[in-house]
Amino acid sequence: MIVSAQTYNIILIGIVVLVALRPLYTRLIKKEGSKHDWMFALLLLLLPTNWYTPTFITVTSCNTFTKEVLIFPTQKDGVSYSYGWCNYVINKAQQPLAFEYVYYGDNQPEEDEKNQVIQPNGIGKVDEVVIDFIFEPKAKSVSTKSSGATKTSLYCL
């Protein structure tokens, strides 16, 4: 099952409200202390769930794309998708797309960081949780607490 990014965020907020409702009720309304505070630990489960849920970026033309999130393993356009720490870029545009890593400061490419070109009507799997610059200009510099940073960019060729 694939849903829009907005629907996915609404689902996450709903889960947070449902999990937090009872502990907040017992602490604030009934004034019973920490009887159900253990339920807040369930909220920690949302962090890995959110990072391990793939995102689909479907590009229909340069600068026009939709963002969707995989909730349950499924098939889309004849391809099977499952969970993982990645983004899928589906290129339905007429131009090829480029995904690249952008290095700032002293950062150097790592072994698993490979730039890719996604041909028209092709699907690219990007092993990153977030693509920082989608059809927008790359920043000339970024502010970091260390000596460098690595960002990602998706653009039309």
Side-chain angles (χ1 to χ4, degrees), residues 50-125:
N50 195 28
W51 284 327
Y52 205 62
T53 305
T55 302
F56 291 88
I57 298 171
T58 304
V59 179
T60 53
S61 68
C62 280
N63 300 326
T64 306
F65 67 94
T66 58
K67 206 171 195 183
E68 299 171 308
V69 179
L70 178 73
I71 301 246
F72 299 112
T74 189
Q75 283 193 350
K76 181 178 181 178
D77 299 329
V79 179
S80 295
Y81 299 100
S82 63
Y83 299 120
W85 196 309
C86 63
N87 281 293
Y88 291 100
V89 179
I90 303 168
N91 186 4
K92 293 186 177 181
Q94 299 300 315
Q95 299 96 333
L97 300 174
F99 171 80
E100 74 176 2
Y101 289 88
V102 183
Y103 302 98
Y104 297 96
D106 296 338
N107 271 20
Q108 298 295 321
E110 295 181 16
E111 280 185 32
D112 61 340
E113 295 179 343
K114 305 258 190 262
N115 297 337
Q116 9 180 336
V117 173
I118 304 159
Q119 297 299 327
N121 297 317
I123 299 172
K125 182 179 178 183

